[in-house]
Amino acid sequence: MQYVERVLKELKEKNPNEPEFHQAATEILNGLKPVIEKHPEYEKAALLERFTEPERVILFRVPWVDDAGKVHVNKGYRVQFNSAIGPYKGGLRFHPSVNLSIIKFLGLEQILKNSLTGLPIGGGKGGSNFDPKGKSDNEIMKFCQSFMTELYRHIGQDTDVPAGDIGVGGREIGYMFGQYKRIRDEHVGVLTGRGLSYGGSLARTEATGYGLVYITEETLKCRNDSFKGKTVVVSGSGNVAIYATEKAQQLGAKVVALYDSNGYIYDKNGIRLDVVKQIKEVERGRIKEYANRVKGAEYHEGCKGIWTIPCDIALPCATQNEIDEESAKILVKNGVKYVGEGANMPTTLEGIAVFQKAGVVFLPAKAANAGGVATSALEMSQSSGRLFWTFEEVDAKLKNIMVNIYHNMDNAAKEYGCEGDYVAGANIAGFLKVANAMMAHGIV
Ligand code: NDP
């Protein structure tokens, strides 16, 4: 049996009931086959076995008391996956669906994504099955403080630097940072995505969404094309979706749809982002409200229907496995030309195959949404150097990083005989640096 097949088989046997982790590992390891063929020494060093086994998995309980005095207990996770090229770095997700499989798939992806940024950051991920929806500010604070009361002993500015993800934005980072500082008595860059008044970076809020559009823009540019006049469908209506919409609109595209986990809005005149920001960022409300406020806009219950809207560019920015084979086929039939993944693993393996077969240019998450973590690394640099860069400075660095990621993955795909296959290109470009460092460190 070939090395990749054997490692995948063993990984599934050793980690049963982790379907998302299996899915991510399958996509990554299959994409790495041309590299493995060129480097027989990797098998001898059990490199793939070590690469797919986290260095450390931390599981803990998170007890907290709600406003009515009831005690709740959630699960807390931090997977410190790989520190070969730098301290662990990756977000915290608070969502009821969170389990070890999801955190491990995100952590594995994060290793290669962080490597692709060209910055010295390893891969990690964490979170909790806590559901922030419907909780008061006080309950969110209590939960975040309890979560950090355990997590603090495992992280540090040179060890592991978490950030936000689904359900963890500026408010949650603030509460967690406050608790870390209180326990450790250290004002250091141990979390990124911090507020501007206590060490955060300008443009971090916008970074993932803007970065997604910058890499898509470069992809278009290399095909003598642009966002101007394009119809775009964006899924989600959280941090990534909002700022992807903002930048796409600034570049002349018309974004016609967004969703949250209840349903989607369609506005043929182009989404009014001021209304979305008011509903989502200020009121923390539901996207349904948009149709009550904007004339001519429609609201439809359920999410899947969003992919039946004809578009030139699809930017899935909500969660894993949003686009399955059926939705991919509908998108192709309706003429989609480019798909850029803002969320992590939003397309199933079958969905990716549909896009690739149809010649749709497909930008995988680990490249396309790397702008968030790249800017987090810029926040780390500013913290260490006690610096504060302007919005324009950070934005320019972000754009430069995204353009470089595009060309690195494009070149890797060409060099390894799979031109235009950016799934393979991103995996290869990200992996080579990590593999090189792991080989240099010996069997650890
Ligand atoms: P947010 O919590 O800000 O927004 C998430 C959005 O996705 C919300 O609109 C949410 O709707 C929707 N959503 C979540 N789960 C589901 C679901 N199961 N079905 C339908 N809709 C869902 O998160 P982010 O914008 O930060 O993250 C979005 C994606 O981008 C994630 O995959 C994340 O891992 C990825 N990402 C984020 C980065 C960042 O910097 N924030 C960096 C790189 C990747 P609702 O409010 O109804 O739950």
Side-chain angles (χ1 to χ4, degrees), residues 93 133 165 167 204 208 237-240 261 286 317-318 343-344:
R93 175 176 292 192
K133 250 185 243 137
D165 191 76
R204 174 61 188 92
T208 309
S237 49
N239 173 266
V240 180
S261 56
R286 308 306 298 160
C317 293
N344 282 309

Side-chain angles (χ1 to χ4, degrees), residues 93 95 106 113 125 133 164-168 204 208 236-241 259-262 280 286 303 317-320 342-344 369-370 372-373:
R93 175 176 292 192
H95 193 272
L106 289 164
K113 178 186 315 195
K125 200 81 190 187
K133 250 185 243 137
D165 191 76
I166 291 179
V168 179
R204 174 61 188 92
T208 309
S237 49
N239 173 266
V240 180
Y259 71 46
D260 62 22
S261 56
N262 293 111
K280 285 290 170 186
R286 308 306 298 160
C303 297
C317 293
T319 193
Q320 61 272 4
N344 282 309
N369 71 23
V373 75

Side-chain angles (χ1 to χ4, degrees), residues 17 37 52 121 145 147 186 195-196 215 245 271 284 313 332 354 401 405 424 427:
N17 309 317
E37 268 164 35
T52 51
I121 37 179
Q145 289 179 340
F147 187 84
E186 281 178 0
L196 296 178
I215 195 169
T245 300
I271 295 286
R284 295 182 187 273
I313 302 173
V332 167
V354 170
I401 289 169
I405 291 176
N427 283 324

Side-chain angles (χ1 to χ4, degrees), residues 158-180:
D158 297 318
T159 316
D160 183 358
V161 184
D165 191 76
I166 291 179
V168 179
R171 175 180 60 169
E172 292 74 19
I173 293 288
Y175 291 146
M176 286 191 274
F177 183 78
Q179 185 72 351
Y180 180 89

Side-chain angles (χ1 to χ4, degrees), residues 268-329:
K268 62 178 184 320
N269 300 316
I271 295 286
R272 279 197 41 205
L273 204 58
D274 55 331
V275 178
V276 174
K277 283 187 178 182
Q278 174 65 28
I279 296 169
K280 285 290 170 186
E281 294 185 336
V282 181
E283 299 168 21
R284 295 182 187 273
R286 308 306 298 160
I287 202 70
K288 183 179 188 170
E289 186 52 30
Y290 182 92
N292 298 331
R293 297 187 194 179
V294 178
K295 224 173 138 216
E298 299 167 14
Y299 173 74
H300 299 265
E301 277 295 322
C303 297
K304 237 185 140 183
I306 201 169
W307 307 119
T308 63
I309 299 170
C311 61
D312 305 300
I313 302 173
L315 302 177
C317 293
T319 193
Q320 61 272 4
N321 295 329
E322 307 174 59
I323 302 184
D324 59 10
E325 185 176 14
E326 187 193 350
S327 296
K329 282 183 178 161

Side-chain angles (χ1 to χ4, degrees), residues 1-70:
M1 193 184 298
Q2 296 296 307
Y3 184 32
V4 164
E5 276 77 26
R6 178 171 62 75
V7 172
L8 280 172
K9 182 169 175 284
E10 287 170 5
L11 177 143
K12 288 174 189 169
E13 284 165 3
K14 274 193 291 184
N15 305 277
N17 309 317
E18 296 185 4
E20 294 85 0
F21 181 52
H22 300 171
Q23 182 181 340
T26 303
E27 188 235 84
I28 291 171
L29 265 49
N30 280 332
L32 292 178
K33 278 180 180 166
V35 180
I36 302 302
E37 268 164 35
K38 269 200 188 173
H39 292 276
E41 71 276 19
Y42 288 170
E43 181 167 3
K44 207 163 159 242
L47 192 76
L48 291 181
E49 291 89 326
R50 289 188 286 132
F51 175 71
T52 51
E53 188 70 39
E55 289 173 15
R56 195 173 298 105
V57 174
I58 300 150
L59 295 175
F60 52 101
R61 76 167 177 242
V62 191
W64 60 281
V65 185
D66 70 17
D67 291 346
K70 186 168 184 283

